[in-house]
Amino acid sequence: MKLQLNPVFETFCLLGYPNLGDTAKKEIVKKLDALGVNGAAVYAANFPLVERYYDAFASRAVQTEGSALFEDMSTELGLLLIINLLLHPQWLDDFDAVSDEEATAAISEGITDLLESDEGPIEALEASELSDQAKWQMTALLQQPRKKLALVIDAINANLATYEHAYARLASEIEPLLEQLEDQLEKDELSSNMSRIVALNPQAPVIPSLANPLIILVLGDYNFVGLLLNRMMGGRNEGLTETEAALVAKALSDPSKVKILGELKQGKLYSLEIAQKLELTPATTSHHMNMLLSAGLVEVSKEGAKAYYSVCRDTVERYRAWLHDRFL
């Protein structure tokens, strides 16, 4: 089956920005810099297509009552909403059939899952290290879950045709990128870090994204991969690319992440065990583990409902070899 963009995910992301203005551009350049590349140069070389995609969408975007919810939406609230929409695709067709109780239960469970907490959603939010903005937005969603979900769903449904317009305008440029990513997947030519994250959920389909072109995320039954990310990471390499080495170095510059790796040297652990051993909150632990995963320094194995982390010896050996070849 050919790789395709997910209309709901793309529309959700496209609604987050009226266009890729200076603020969004600065955020992307900053993320690229964090990957160890020249963010401004990489943006100039690769992101004009993304800018045209957003512009094409903005030219026909339909404003609804729910459009305001996308303004200043925190990353955490965005994840919570899109996870629920992907887990419940039937909501897009018939949300009137969803009861208040069902909506409340879905949002409550989504918050505790996102924060990896055994507490209730309010307690989990209070104990988390999320920004005040994210806490306020999630608390507001908990107070009126069905009403706010309905507004978000109305905004997406009103703009699915707008997404189709944007895609059609740029199909001649997007489809070669989709074919290239599909070929890289078939030939196992994803960058090492991307390959490891996709392997966390090998049965799940890979869904590319142009609206979020740097994403690597496992969401429910989907692996979302930014359409430009493999190009940024340099593809499969027996050694480490400069970008991969920079990610490892950045992870090792943080004492907390080094301590986590030290604990994992003794044996595999799941998130709550790591949090308890280092006296960290679940949210902080999740942040550290995502960074270590992105750097390829840990790998995950599932046992039942739990995901166990262990040190990735392959990355450690390749980083040591990279240091030797690069500097000695």
Side-chain angles (χ1 to χ4, degrees):
M1 181 179 177
K2 287 192 173 184
L3 291 182
Q4 297 179 336
L5 304 183
N6 181 290
V8 173
F9 185 82
E10 293 296 288
T11 302
F12 185 92
C13 293
L14 288 163
L15 284 167
Y17 289 106
N19 54 65
L20 281 187
D22 288 341
T23 299
K25 180 177 177 179
K26 288 177 181 177
E27 290 176 1
I28 294 170
V29 169
K30 185 177 179 180
K31 287 180 181 179
L32 290 168
D33 286 336
L35 290 175
V37 299
N38 183 326
V42 170
Y43 187 99
N46 295 281
F47 277 76
L49 170 60
V50 183
E51 290 181 343
R52 292 196 298 275
Y53 185 47
Y54 271 85
D55 287 345
F57 182 88
S59 70
R60 294 195 181 184
V62 178
Q63 295 299 309
T64 69
E65 187 179 350
S67 298
L69 293 175
F70 289 86
E71 296 176 8
D72 299 319
M73 183 182 289
S74 66
T75 300
E76 294 82 6
L77 178 62
L79 280 173
L80 177 62
L81 290 169
I82 193 61
I83 286 171
N84 270 284
L85 295 179
L86 292 172
L87 288 175
H88 305 94
Q90 71 278 9
W91 287 2
L92 275 293
D93 297 322
D94 188 16
F95 193 65
D96 289 341
V98 179
S99 67
D100 289 339
E101 292 76 14
E102 288 176 291
T104 300
I107 293 301
S108 297
E109 184 178 346
I111 289 174
T112 55
D113 285 348
L114 190 65
L115 298 177
E116 297 185 1
S117 173
D118 294 328
E119 304 289 340
I122 295 297
E123 293 80 4
L125 284 170
E126 289 176 347
S128 76
E129 294 186 359
L130 297 180
S131 67
D132 290 341
Q133 177 198 33
K135 288 182 180 180
W136 180 85
Q137 290 179 349
M138 288 194 182
T139 301
L141 177 61
L142 269 174
Q143 292 171 347
Q144 295 180 307
R146 194 181 182 287
K147 178 180 178 181
K148 291 186 181 297
L149 280 169
L151 291 173
V152 170
I153 288 169
D154 285 346
I156 291 172
N157 280 332
N159 283 283
L160 285 172
T162 309
Y163 153 73
E164 296 290 351
H165 161 76
Y167 182 93
R169 284 272 300 271
L170 299 163
S172 62
E173 296 178 77
I174 296 172
E175 288 172 2
L177 290 175
L178 292 169
E179 292 171 3
Q180 181 184 50
L181 180 59
E182 184 172 17
D183 186 56
Q184 289 166 336
L185 279 164
E186 290 176 354
K187 295 179 179 178
D188 193 24
E189 291 179 350
L190 291 180
S191 69
S192 299
N193 295 352
M194 286 179 66
S195 182
R196 285 193 188 92
I197 291 175
V198 169
L200 294 179
N201 200 359
Q203 304 305 317
V206 170
I207 307 297
S209 174
L210 183 60
N212 200 331
L214 301 179
I215 195 172
I216 312 179
L217 188 64
V218 177
L219 278 181
D221 294 328
Y222 302 93
N223 291 319
F224 281 90
V225 174
L227 200 49
L228 299 181
L229 191 57
N230 207 46
R231 186 184 298 179
M232 307 296 106
M233 300 296 289
R236 175 72 73 180
N237 193 298
E238 291 303 317
L240 289 179
T241 65
E242 296 286 327
T243 300
E244 289 174 325
L247 284 174
V248 173
K250 184 175 182 179
L252 293 177
S253 70
D254 182 352
S256 294
K257 294 180 180 61
V258 173
K259 288 178 182 178
I260 290 172
L261 292 172
E263 292 291 343
L264 294 178
K265 181 182 177 182
Q266 311 305 317
K268 60 186 180 182
L269 299 168
Y270 64 93
S271 289
L272 288 180
E273 289 177 325
I274 296 170
Q276 291 165 0
K277 283 179 176 291
L278 276 74
E279 298 182 349
L280 301 172
T281 66
T284 298
T285 304
S286 178
H287 169 75
H288 287 315
M289 300 318 297
N290 284 334
M291 292 295 292
L292 289 169
L293 270 171
S294 295
L297 283 166
V298 298
E299 50 194 2
V300 179
S301 59
K302 289 190 176 181
E303 297 182 15
K306 293 179 179 177
Y308 283 84
Y309 296 95
S310 56
V311 175
C312 181
R313 296 181 62 89
D314 177 61
T315 298
V316 174
E317 294 292 345
R318 292 195 301 139
Y319 184 59
R320 182 168 65 175
W322 181 87
L323 288 171
H324 183 277
D325 293 344
R326 188 76 169 77
F327 300 113
L328 298 178

